[in-house]
Structures are given as structure tokens and as C-alpha cells.
Amino acid sequence: MADKIRVTVWHEYRHERNTEGEAYKCYPNGIHAVIKDFLDKNDDMDVRIVCLDDPDQGLPDELLNNTDVLLWWGHGFHGEVNDELVDKIVTRVYRQGMGFIGLHSAHHSKPFRKLLGCTGNLEWGDNIKEVIWNLNPTHPIAAGIPKAFELEADELYSEPFYIPKPDDLIFGAWFEHGNIFRAGCTWARGLGKIFYFQPGHETCLSFYNPYVQKIITNAVRWAKPVEEPIDETCPYSGKGFLVSETVRFD
Ligand code: ZN
């Protein structure tokens, strides 16, 4: 792996380009620019931003194959993402250990659904006050995060959230209507690590919140590939000792 964590922030970047819209007022240069700004403060990260409308939908092989952690924000145009690209992302996570961080509406993105084999369906509603609870303070993604913190408004996401059981549930969300949600979850898949984090609707200001920024920063460090990924060759192959020959189930 390179000296720095090679981070690529993939963004759909359609909403904020409407200069008449609410999303533009919140993120005039795009959500990806704000994420890059706060990640760039870390000397151990090399951050690139790409968009759906870029050539190769932002992820030519050269860039994808040199990405240690991929962050993904998409909302209204998931269906436009090429299935071939999704397969390459999934392969890179499973086989080369690239980290994948799904942000907010990425719960319905093709890579998230394919990585986890789920619909990612959930219930949603208006932008309202949210409290994020730290459920797992010993986890590295929760480092420096208080017991709870408040977001003035974000989009209501509610259980039931159709995901596989997380390896670690790190944050829980409470919304003032009474809904709750698994807001920060991790999974290992193949050699890769996956984190999903709920805040970040395009007409809310959550990406400016220092705790949200800290969580995403922590998640990038947590999700980077291990230094020397195991190779998939069984060390006993060709040496006359094969597990399949010694373990019988019939
Ligand atoms: Zn949203």
C-alpha cells in the first residue's frame, strides 16, 4: 500500500448543480468538495473527488485500482451507474481489500446492495432533529465521539432497515418523531471493510458537523486495506495436505 491512504470520494453531484435549489445553498461546490476539505486536513490521506458525469463515471480502472478507500454518495440516479463498474468495485473490495464507505442515500446504491446482498430498503420522512448515540465507544470509528450529539436537521431514516446483521453497530439514531435507526454499521466482506453512515441529506448541513467529520475521518483510517493482504492460495495446496481430503462430512 502507498504511504498515504488513497481516498476517492465518488459523488453523484446532480442536486447541487441546480443553482436555484436548496442543495446548492447548502453545498455550493458539492457535498464531495466539503468532504475533501475536511479529509484534506489529515496528512496521512491523499483525497481525490470524482463524479457520475466524469469520464468512465468517475472511476476509470487506473483510479479504482489505486484507491484504498472509496466513499460513495448517490441519491436519485443510482440506476445510471454501470453494472460493469459495480462489479469492479465489488471485486476490488472482496479481493484486494479496498474499504467502502456508504454515505446517507448510498443505502440504495448498486455497490452497497451488491456488496452486502441486500435491498437496503428503509422508511424515510422529512428533515427533522436527530440525535446520534454512540453505542460502541471502544470502536476506532467512535474515537473522540461523545455519548450523543445532535443534528439540527437531517432526513428521517427509520427501521426497519433491510441490511444483513452488522458486525458492529456503532451509532444509533433517534428522531424526534420517535423513529430509531441503525445509523453507523460495519461489515467485513472478503478482504474488505464496509461502513455505512446515515447523516448527509443534500438539503441538510450535517457534513459541516465536526462529529460527522470526525466519524468519516475515523472510518477512512479503519477501512483502509490491511498492510499485507493474505493471498488466497492455500499454503497446503500442492503439498499433499488438502483440507478437503482430511475433513469428511459424509
Ligand atoms: Zn436524503
Side-chain angles (χ1 to χ4, degrees), residues 104 155 157 201-202:
H104 186 59
E155 187 173 26
Y157 273 15
H201 186 63
E202 69 272 11

Side-chain angles (χ1 to χ4, degrees), residues 25-171:
K25 289 181 198 152
C26 294
Y27 300 99
N29 297 313
I31 284 172
H32 54 338
V34 173
I35 294 172
K36 178 172 167 56
D37 275 353
F38 68 76
L39 289 180
D40 270 344
K41 292 174 185 159
N42 302 287
D43 291 340
D44 58 339
M45 296 180 193
D46 174 19
V47 185
R48 296 76 56 94
I49 52 178
V50 296
C51 303
L52 173 61
D53 292 324
D54 289 347
D56 299 311
Q57 300 197 317
L59 285 172
D61 291 350
E62 170 74 15
L63 181 60
L64 182 61
N65 293 334
N66 286 286
T67 294
D68 296 316
V69 181
L70 178 64
L71 284 75
W72 194 276
W73 195 106
H75 178 216
F77 304 90
H78 298 307
E80 290 188 25
V81 177
N82 291 330
D83 291 328
E84 296 76 20
L85 175 59
V86 176
D87 286 343
K88 287 178 186 174
I89 292 167
V90 170
T91 299
R92 181 140 175 84
V93 171
Y94 271 71
R95 304 295 290 274
Q96 278 107 41
M98 181 180 76
F100 181 90
I101 299 175
L103 297 169
H104 186 59
S105 38
H107 70 90
H108 262 167
S109 67
K110 285 185 181 179
F112 182 81
R113 293 169 116 161
K114 189 149 193 177
L115 281 164
L116 295 177
C118 65
T119 63
N121 287 346
L122 48 79
E123 313 255 331
W124 69 89
D126 294 337
N127 300 342
I128 56 171
K129 186 171 89 173
E130 172 178 0
V131 178
I132 304 260
W133 289 88
N134 183 349
L135 305 178
N136 202 334
T138 62
H139 195 283
I141 296 179
I145 305 302
K147 283 186 279 190
F149 64 94
E150 192 175 305
L151 297 173
E152 190 180 333
D154 209 307
E155 187 173 26
L156 183 147
Y157 273 15
S158 178
E159 299 289 339
F161 184 19
Y162 291 94
I163 49 173
K165 181 180 167 188
D167 294 343
D168 278 308
L169 176 57
I170 305 176
F171 302 106

